Amino acid sequence: MRILKVGETAGRGRPVAALLLAARLRWYGVETGRRIFRYWKAIFLAVALLSPLAMPIVEQSRLIGTPVGVLFDPEHSFFWRFAWMAWLEVCAVAWVHVQHDAISGGAFAKYMHALPLAPSLMRRVDLAVLLIADTPLFAPIFATAITLGAESQPFIHGGVLCGLVLAVCAVQVAVLDRDARWLAAVGASDALLAIGAVGHGVGAVGAIGVSLIILGVALASLMPTQRSGAWIWPHQVTTAHVLRRLLPSVPPLVKISAHVMTDTCRTANMTRALLLLGLVAGSVALMSLWGFDQRSVPLALIADAFMAMIVASAYRDLYREHARAAQYSAALPIGRYAQARADVLVVIALCLPFAFVLSSAIAMHRSWDEGARCLSSVIGLIALIAAMRVPSVKAPEHALVLNTLLAGVWVASVWRVAI
């Protein structure tokens, strides 16, 4: 059987690469469109609240490019810039992991494995899909390029931005392929880029040039020779195995819900975990900016309400997965509300660690009395998360609005106790 390579045609004279890319992009568009349509209310609310429509175009570009533009601030040290670049790459890996089902090709990828296609062709298609999926990540880089276009060092700034794009792609490919051989090279290139970002003259240009060469070699080495292509995220150790070893006394229904949360719906729950982590980090940063004054406790309550709304969306995933197995579970001696109670326990367990972090931060920086009041509000948070299951399951189309009303009533009720 002849192996089709890059540039060859198949069917109606169209190149094989174009056919594969069109099929992969169609799958990516369908999967992404389903997720956007599912959470369109939350996306619309976030865009309406955060979009700076009243700003001029230049100010919007500067605001969008802030995460990348801070690399060129000479006030920051080398270690700060290096750590910030590593954090940007971690965010890029999380972005790919959240949507790896759409990027990998799904059911079409299984069909591609049976075709006589060259590995290099498969990898080029993979990279093309990855670059398109990374378009939102590259928006801050393009905005920074527009903002710094009139600066006096275009070669240095342009080289650092190109190096950042290559580093993001290299670390994503390395993580998706579970090939960590070149992660150290990416770290070395990050160090050189951090040196050249605020440097001057030939030294800065040389450091950036060496980093670009390292990243180019790393990407070239990641091109497969005898591999089949499309990315499938591997999970060698399942959650059920971990729960059997570490938590033998956990009820079986709770293990089922935990397995659904971490294995079956791992992409959605990775997104929720990242949102919770970002919410806690932003709240603690704002508290530290305020000096942990009297505004910290109300902010913690509002953050708790937002965390409850985030984790409450997991009820729909759990209910859908239980409905798929309803014919089998109906034959088991399970109570009517037993699985619902297990779902509530698992969702609460997802939210409580983040809520305790906020309360502990207040207790350490203010007083133990206020920290104890915030910890007591966590009991009310448990009741709020449990109450949010009803609209999430019974009225999923209006769950966002109803849960927002519940969160507002909860904040107003707990405000008098905690403050």
Side-chain angles (χ1 to χ4, degrees):
M1 184 178 294
R2 190 171 63 89
I3 303 296
L4 296 179
K5 300 181 180 179
V6 179
E8 295 193 29
T9 59
R12 299 186 180 182
R14 293 185 63 185
V16 178
L19 291 172
L20 294 177
L21 182 60
R24 291 282 298 277
L25 290 179
R26 183 171 181 266
W27 176 268
Y28 178 78
V30 169
E31 288 294 313
T32 307
R34 288 175 181 171
R35 190 156 300 168
I36 292 175
F37 181 75
R38 182 178 178 184
Y39 300 106
W40 72 269
K41 294 181 181 179
I43 295 173
F44 178 78
L45 181 61
V47 172
L49 292 176
L50 302 177
S51 179
L53 296 178
M55 284 187 179
I57 298 298
V58 178
E59 294 297 330
Q60 291 187 24
S61 300
R62 186 175 289 108
L63 179 63
I64 295 174
T66 299
V68 179
V70 293
L71 293 172
F72 302 99
D73 190 352
E75 295 181 358
H76 298 302
S77 64
F78 161 77
F79 295 101
W80 188 95
R81 291 193 299 274
F82 177 78
W84 185 251
M85 292 184 68
W87 171 247
L88 293 178
E89 291 166 1
V90 169
C91 293
V93 171
W95 170 262
V96 171
H97 177 66
V98 164
Q99 51 178 348
H100 77 274
D101 289 333
I103 295 176
S104 63
F108 178 72
K110 299 179 181 179
Y111 171 71
M112 277 201 308
H113 286 297
L115 299 179
L117 301 174
S120 59
L121 172 61
M122 304 280 280
R123 176 46 58 90
R124 285 178 172 83
V125 175
D126 290 341
L127 291 177
V129 176
L130 181 63
L131 289 175
I132 294 173
D134 284 342
T135 302
L137 298 181
F138 295 150
I141 298 177
F142 295 147
T144 304
I146 295 173
T147 304
L148 300 177
E151 298 289 339
S152 58
Q153 297 178 327
F155 293 103
I156 292 178
H157 295 160
V160 172
L161 295 178
C162 292
L164 185 59
V165 172
L166 293 177
V168 166
C169 293
V171 74
Q172 286 177 337
V173 172
V175 172
L176 287 170
D177 284 345
R178 294 182 65 89
D179 188 357
R181 293 176 299 171
W182 287 94
L183 289 181
V186 174
S189 67
D190 289 344
L192 293 174
L193 291 175
I195 294 173
V198 293
H200 302 280
V202 180
V205 175
I208 295 172
V210 172
S211 67
L212 292 177
I213 294 174
I214 293 175
L215 292 171
V217 173
L219 280 174
S221 67
L222 291 171
M223 297 294 288
T225 55
Q226 298 294 330
R227 301 186 62 170
S228 56
W231 288 310
I232 302 296
W233 193 270
H235 289 273
Q236 297 179 352
V237 180
T238 62
T239 305
H241 175 76
V242 176
L243 289 175
R244 282 197 304 267
R245 294 301 182 113
L246 300 181
L247 303 174
S249 60
V250 173
L253 294 180
V254 177
K255 291 182 180 180
I256 292 174
S257 299
H259 175 78
V260 172
M261 288 279 286
T262 54
D263 286 346
T264 308
C265 303
R266 59 182 179 272
T267 302
N269 285 288
M270 182 69 178
T271 306
R272 295 186 188 100
L274 292 175
L275 289 175
L276 292 173
L277 182 61
L279 182 59
V280 171
S283 301
V284 174
L286 192 56
M287 290 178 187
S288 62
L289 183 64
W290 290 342
F292 287 91
D293 56 7
Q294 65 274 9
R295 295 172 290 184
S296 300
V297 178
L299 178 62
L301 293 179
I302 296 173
D304 288 341
F306 275 106
M307 285 191 287
M309 293 177 60
I310 291 172
V311 299
S313 61
Y315 286 126
R316 293 193 295 271
D317 296 335
L318 290 168
Y319 183 78
R320 184 178 63 251
E321 295 300 326
H322 295 327
R324 292 179 180 176
Q327 295 180 351
Y328 171 74
S329 59
L332 300 177
I334 300 175
R336 182 177 181 182
Y337 301 105
Q339 191 64 64
R341 290 194 295 268
D343 294 346
V344 171
L345 288 176
V346 171
V347 174
I348 289 173
L350 175 63
C351 183
L352 283 186
F354 299 95
F356 278 122
V357 169
L358 288 178
S359 301
S360 302
I362 293 176
M364 288 187 296
H365 291 87
R366 286 185 61 80
S367 64
W368 287 104
D369 186 22
E370 293 184 359
R373 288 202 298 268
C374 288
L375 287 174
S376 64
S377 67
V378 174
I379 300 175
L381 179 63
I382 293 174
L384 175 64
I385 296 174
M388 285 183 174
R389 183 185 181 276
V390 178
S392 298
V393 173
K394 301 299 183 181
E397 297 84 2
H398 310 287
L400 179 62
V401 177
L402 296 176
N403 287 337
T404 303
L405 293 176
L406 281 175
V409 172
W410 179 83
V411 171
S413 302
V414 180
W415 194 291
R416 297 179 179 273
V417 178
I419 299 177

